């Protein structure tokens, strides 16, 4: 965020392209975006490792189910609350940004309260090992979603530093919370520690921004942005819902421990998984700025973005293959030996997802909601079919290879759609120029 009276971004130069000052500003925003994602990655990685070592494989699988469910709810919140904010209020005057953020964060809180209440009821009804974890997740959802909404709001304003500080506050609050959870034991205690520390950061976000979420204006926000919000909702839920279906299906076909194995392997690629999950915090906002200032640069920007992530994921996966068993056991404990078998397919899957994310950012910046929705539904269908089909054929390892193949197919679809959208935009621009 910026202080009162400031603008959220510097104006573009006369040619419509970022000058030296704009280039430095872009570098600064991307640097804070990388720093924020690093803080988020470290927190997510630490939570996963701590829980895996403290609870064992089966209980870690239960925690992973709660984590995946949170991902679905987060996707709902982003679709209706924060994705429209980033697309339409990145680089706008401060007064406009503040009003939009108040309504957007209020929407995130309402989503968290409504779905959290449902999770609480379902968790109490389920009982057993899984029920308490879901009940506690329901209580923590409003704080978790509000914290994520502040991150989106700060990046839309070009104030990535504040998003980074907010994630650091979450990480600091997480340390004593996890220590207490370890003493109490059980999955529910860890869910409460994770969500409670996020609530601390969510409250701090109100002080950072000087904005109070307006829950009374949720209906207006949804009505004003229904052309994007509902499509993004379906698109986002398609992503996280596919992960949830795969996790539940894998648990039913192979066993709950298999979910823990997959989550353990994903933790080994934690930095890149976290970047992919929250990539739109930086890239959609920056791609939207590119569209406004230098639209001809959008294609190369997206290619550099996606290609860089894919290469980085492959390098990290190659390093993991060289990691000694002792180091792996130190990190994941008993989960390591099973998770190590999935390093190659999961690395390929993350690389494919990283490549596709560059194209997805471009489509969102163009507000091509129909194209991105169509593409995401295709990719999600491939993900579920590949993950569950592979599990039926070859268990946990087969599921990982099926997901890798599906992710690469989905990435190809994203880039085909972006190419078509860019071509369509260019044709429309030429038509407008020729029309007197």
């Amino acid at each position: 965020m910026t202080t009162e009276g400031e603008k959220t971004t510097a104006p573009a130069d006369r040619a419509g392209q970022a000058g030296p000052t704009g280039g430095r500003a872009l570098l600064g925003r991307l640097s804070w975006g990388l720093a924020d994602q690093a803080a988020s990655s470290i927190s997510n990685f630490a939570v996963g490792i701590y829980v895996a070592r403290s609870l064992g494989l089966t209980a870690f699988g239960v925690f992973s189910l709660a984590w995946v469910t949170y991902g679905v709810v987060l996707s709902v919140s982003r679709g209706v609350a924060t994705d429209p904010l980033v697309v339409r209020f990145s680089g706008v005057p401060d007064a406009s940004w503040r009003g939009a953020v108040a309504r957007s964060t209020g929407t995130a809180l309402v989503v968290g309260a409504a779905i959290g209440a449902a999770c609480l009821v379902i968790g109490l009804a389920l009982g057993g090992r899984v029920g308490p974890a879901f009940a506690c997740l329901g209580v923590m959802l409003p704080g978790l979603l509000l914290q994520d909404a502040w991150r989106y709001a700060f990046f839309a304003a070009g104030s990535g530093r504040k998003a980074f500080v907010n994630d650091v506050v979450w990480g600091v609050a997480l340390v004593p919370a996890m220590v207490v959870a370890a003493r109490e034991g059980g999955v529910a205690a860890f869910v409460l520690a994770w969500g409670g520390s996020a609530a601390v950061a969510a409250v701090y976000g109100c002080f950072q921004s000087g904005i109070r979420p307006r829950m009374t204006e949720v209906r207006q926000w949804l009505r004003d942005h229904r052309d994007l919000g509902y499509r993004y909702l379906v698109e986002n839920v398609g992503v996280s819902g596919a992960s949830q279906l795969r996790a539940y299906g894998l648990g039913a076909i192979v066993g709950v421990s298999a979910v823990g194995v997959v989550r353990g392997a994903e933790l080994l690629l934690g930095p890149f998984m976290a970047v992919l999950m929250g990539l739109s915090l930086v890239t959609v906002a920056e791609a939207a700025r590119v569209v406004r200032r230098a639209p001809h640069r959008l294609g190369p920007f997206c290619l550099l973005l996606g290609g860089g992530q894919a290469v980085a994921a492959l390098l990290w996966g190659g390093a993991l293959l060289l990691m000694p068993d002792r180091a792996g056991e130190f990190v994941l404990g008993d989960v390591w030996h099973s998770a190590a078998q999935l390093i190659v397919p999961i690395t390929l899957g993350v690389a494919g997802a990283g490549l596709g994310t560059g194209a997805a950012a471009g489509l969102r910046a163009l507000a091509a909601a129909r194209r991105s929705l169509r593409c995401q539904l295709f990719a999600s269908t491939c993900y579920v079919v590949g993950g569950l089909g592979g599990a039926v054929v070859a268990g946990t390892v087969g599921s990982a290879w099926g997901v890798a193949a599906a992710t690469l197919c989905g990435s190809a679809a994203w880039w085909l759609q972006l190419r078509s959208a860019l071509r369509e935009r260019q044709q429309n621009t030429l038509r407008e120029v020729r029309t007197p």
Side-chain angles (χ1 to χ4, degrees), residues 10-29:
D13 62 19
R14 295 179 183 177
Q17 299 177 0
T21 300
R24 287 194 295 270
L26 170 61
L27 181 60
R29 289 191 297 269

Side-chain angles (χ1 to χ4, degrees), residues 58-194:
T58 301
F60 182 56
V62 174
F63 182 84
S64 298
L65 289 176
W67 184 286
V68 170
T69 303
Y70 157 69
V72 175
V73 181
L74 184 62
S75 296
V76 173
S77 176
R78 288 179 175 178
V80 299
T82 50
D83 282 343
L85 174 74
V86 172
V87 171
R88 287 184 168 157
F89 294 92
S90 292
V92 300
D94 187 67
S96 178
W97 174 83
R98 292 178 69 83
V101 169
R103 293 189 292 274
S104 175
T105 52
T107 302
L109 268 179
V110 169
V111 170
I115 302 182
C119 285
L120 177 61
V121 172
I122 293 172
L124 294 176
L126 283 176
R129 284 187 171 185
V130 177
F134 275 76
C136 292
L137 176 64
V139 174
M140 295 293 106
L141 276 176
L144 285 162
L145 298 190
L146 181 58
Q147 192 276 337
D148 185 75
W150 287 127
R151 298 172 70 208
Y152 268 75
F154 292 141
F155 277 109
S159 299
R161 177 181 60 84
K162 292 189 175 182
F164 169 74
V165 171
N166 194 275
D167 265 327
V168 169
V169 169
W170 186 1
V172 171
L174 191 61
V175 174
M178 280 292 166
V179 172
V180 174
R183 292 178 180 176
E184 294 295 326
V187 178
F190 282 100
V191 173
L192 288 174
W194 166 53

Side-chain angles (χ1 to χ4, degrees), residues 368-386:
R370 289 185 179 181
R371 289 186 179 277
S372 60
L373 174 59
R374 189 184 311 141
C375 190
Q376 188 56 67
L377 291 177
F378 170 77
S380 297
T381 301
C382 290
Y383 184 92
V384 174
V385 172

